[in-house]
Amino acid sequence: MEQKLTAAIAGSYPKAKVTLDGYDEPIFKIDEIDFKHDEFTLMRVSDGDIFHEPIYKCQLILTPLSKISDEHAVEVCGLVGWDASYKGKLLDCVLGSDNAIAFEFEMNIYRVKLSIEIIDYLRSKGYDLGHGNTTSLISAGSGLKIKV
């Protein structure tokens, strides 16, 4: 079932960028969410111009969690007090059904339970953690995959 972008979903991805339906460019940053009128105030990243667009015309630009960068994985481990900075390259990242992320580095594996702090951090970096009962906004049609 396709999940349309809503103000509530966009509000849970505070630093996400968006694009308008049917366009890969330009890329916009959400400047403000108007919950009453279901519209965004958007700032075009390339030149700073401001636009007002209905939310239904926009898609979040999200990255699958499986494509997390080494740097961000190390930072997530640091949020729970583990130093993963010298454990080699990140080989794999899997979100388990137990709401824990397994980061497999060359020299160690870390299992990190999702907490509000970790969810907020990952969403602020544009990683797809779904919303409500929707486990992936990319799969549901609300987000676009981008290359990391």
Side-chain angles (χ1 to χ4, degrees):
M1 180 169 129
E2 187 170 312
Q3 168 70 55
K4 287 294 184 187
L5 183 59
T6 65
I9 292 171
S12 66
Y13 288 85
K15 295 182 182 178
K17 292 185 172 59
V18 299
T19 189
L20 297 174
D21 280 346
Y23 297 94
D24 288 334
E25 294 287 337
I27 305 296
F28 298 91
K29 188 173 97 176
I30 299 171
D31 194 46
E32 191 174 284
I33 300 172
D34 182 342
F35 288 88
K36 183 176 180 183
H37 297 103
D38 278 337
E39 84 174 16
F40 291 140
T41 300
L42 302 171
M43 182 180 74
R44 188 166 41 208
V45 171
S46 62
D47 60 15
D49 283 354
I50 301 293
F51 298 84
H52 300 277
E53 292 291 339
I55 291 173
Y56 73 86
K57 287 187 171 184
C58 301
Q59 282 189 310
L60 290 173
I61 299 173
L62 300 175
T63 303
L65 187 58
S66 62
K67 301 287 185 188
I68 192 169
S69 71
D70 291 14
E71 174 189 356
H72 293 156
V74 167
E75 288 183 33
V76 168
C77 290
L79 290 173
V80 295
W82 295 331
D83 183 5
S85 57
Y86 300 104
K87 300 302 180 187
K89 183 174 173 44
L90 181 66
L91 303 175
D92 198 12
C93 172
V94 177
L95 177 60
S97 59
D98 61 349
N99 286 326
I101 304 171
F103 295 109
E104 180 183 350
F105 289 91
E106 289 173 322
M107 297 165 42
N108 207 350
I109 296 175
Y110 295 92
R111 289 187 54 75
V112 178
K113 275 292 226 188
L114 286 180
S115 66
I116 292 182
E117 180 182 24
I118 291 170
I119 291 169
D120 287 349
Y121 173 80
L122 290 169
R123 284 182 173 169
S124 78
K125 300 297 183 188
Y127 292 105
D128 181 12
L129 292 178
H131 185 267
N133 292 329
T134 304
T135 56
S136 170
L137 294 176
I138 293 170
S139 298
S142 295
L144 294 172
K145 286 186 183 179
I146 61 169
K147 292 184 179 164
V148 179

